[in-house]
Amino acid sequence: MKLRENYTCPLELVHDMIRGKWKTIIIFQLRKGKCSFSELHRGIEGITQKMLLEQLNELKQFELVTKKTFEGYPLRVEYYLTEQGEKMLAAVKIMQEIGIDHMLHHGMKDSLDRKGIPY
Amino acid sequence: MKLRENYTCPLELVHDMIRGKWKTIIIFQLRKGKCSFSELHRGIEGITQKMLLEQLNELKQFELVTKKTFEGYPLRVEYYLTEQGEKMLAAVKIMQEIGIDHMLHHGMKDSLDRKGIPY
DNA sequence: CCGTATCCGATCCGATACTG
DNA sequence: CAGTATCGGATCGGATACGG
């Protein structure tokens, strides 16, 4: 993702902030606070290391996520939401509800149960 | 966009619902109620007919938007948000705010002024 | 544990021209 | 006014392998 310095439409900017398959999922995963890289990797089913890192870096560019790096071995980092990230989380939570509603009304209840997602 | 019938993650489903550059903008444009195709086309700067129609059809597939067609000439249609669409609008409004905040803090205030977007 | 690099098919989306 | 069809460059995202 190329970072632009000019946008004429707020929603076009936000589209760039959260574009791609994984960004909202990552934001949602960070809802309970800081996570290490591998916690995120384990927590998000199906994501590859490459995609996770790439998307985290883009989220950092747009200041939705920050990273704290700790010295020493083994290497350790913490990713967490910024203030704007928390605001985005509010939108993401609504999306999560919409997704659950849609699944409930279209015969995907089992998928929710299998993953233990409450509704 | 290929409509899938199985999702394991609600946010992946919602990502498909609103993916692409234009969908959130279209939803926001419908916030005040029904619009004809050409009203939308005029209201959304830079969108082509092809993209507008394509994105509207995808929004219909996911039941965020419905269409009412009127008989006679000239042809007339009305697009408007469904109940789920209104819920998505709540998320989109938060995104709009986030976008405005970001623009204000990154030297894009003029763009907002030029388009008459309040903040 | 954390991050990087490359390859490649699939998809996005703008331009353009055309139909009812 | 509303909708359709096609083409082609840009981007997305998965697989895979490598480096600090």
Side-chain angles (χ1 to χ4, degrees):
Chain A
M1 255 285 302
K2 195 167 75 248
L3 184 58
R4 288 166 52 187
E5 78 283 358
N6 263 305
Y7 288 91
T8 56
C9 170
L11 287 173
E12 195 181 352
L13 165 55
V14 173
H15 172 248
D16 281 352
M17 283 184 172
I18 59 166
R19 96 194 300 173
K21 179 175 171 180
W22 298 109
K23 291 207 187 71
T24 58
I25 297 176
I26 294 170
I27 290 168
F28 193 71
Q29 196 68 21
L30 287 170
R31 68 192 178 284
K32 289 179 182 164
K34 59 194 179 197
C35 286
S36 69
F37 185 84
S38 47
E39 280 168 351
L40 286 171
H41 196 199
R42 278 192 302 275
I44 300 176
E45 193 182 321
I47 198 169
T48 61
Q49 269 191 330
K50 179 211 169 204
M51 288 311 297
L52 177 55
L53 190 67
E54 187 177 298
Q55 301 303 304
L56 280 169
N57 285 334
E58 291 182 18
L59 289 169
K60 275 193 295 176
Q61 279 191 353
F62 283 103
E63 301 167 27
L64 294 178
V65 163
T66 41
K67 179 173 76 162
K68 191 170 174 186
T69 308
F70 298 87
E71 305 293 329
Y73 282 87
L75 291 177
R76 195 162 76 84
V77 296
E78 279 173 5
Y79 289 95
Y80 49 95
L81 296 177
T82 62
E83 201 172 317
Q84 287 295 293
E86 295 285 350
K87 198 163 177 183
M88 190 68 81
L89 177 59
V92 171
K93 282 179 173 170
I94 295 174
M95 295 185 216
Q96 170 85 353
E97 283 180 31
I98 293 170
I100 291 173
D101 282 1
H102 193 100
M103 289 173 74
L104 288 176
H105 289 80
H106 292 79
M108 292 178 245
K109 187 171 173 300
D110 335 359
S111 298
L112 294 175
D113 291 338
R114 238 174 286 121
K115 294 189 74 175
I117 296 172
Y119 46 89
Chain B
M1 254 285 303
K2 195 167 75 246
L3 184 58
R4 288 167 50 187
E5 77 284 358
N6 264 304
Y7 288 91
T8 57
C9 171
L11 286 174
E12 194 180 353
L13 164 55
V14 173
H15 172 248
D16 280 352
M17 284 184 170
I18 58 166
R19 95 194 298 170
K21 179 175 170 180
W22 298 108
K23 291 208 186 70
T24 57
I25 297 177
I26 294 170
I27 290 169
F28 192 72
Q29 196 68 20
L30 287 169
R31 70 193 178 284
K32 290 180 181 163
K34 59 192 180 198
C35 285
S36 69
F37 185 82
S38 48
E39 280 168 350
L40 287 170
H41 195 199
R42 277 193 303 275
I44 300 175
E45 193 182 322
I47 198 169
T48 62
Q49 270 192 330
K50 180 209 168 204
M51 288 311 296
L52 178 55
L53 191 67
E54 187 178 297
Q55 302 303 304
L56 279 169
N57 285 333
E58 292 182 18
L59 289 169
K60 275 192 296 176
Q61 280 191 352
F62 283 102
E63 301 167 26
L64 295 178
V65 163
T66 42
K67 179 172 76 162
K68 191 171 173 185
T69 307
F70 297 87
E71 305 293 330
Y73 282 89
L75 291 178
R76 195 162 76 82
V77 295
E78 279 174 5
Y79 289 95
Y80 50 93
L81 296 177
T82 63
E83 200 172 315
Q84 287 295 294
E86 295 285 351
K87 198 164 177 182
M88 190 68 82
L89 177 59
V92 171
K93 281 178 174 171
I94 294 173
M95 294 184 215
Q96 169 84 355
E97 283 179 32
I98 292 170
I100 291 173
D101 283 359
H102 193 98
M103 288 173 74
L104 288 176
H105 289 81
H106 292 78
M108 293 178 244
K109 185 170 173 302
D110 336 359
S111 298
L112 295 175
D113 291 337
R114 238 175 285 120
K115 295 189 75 176
I117 296 172
Y119 45 91

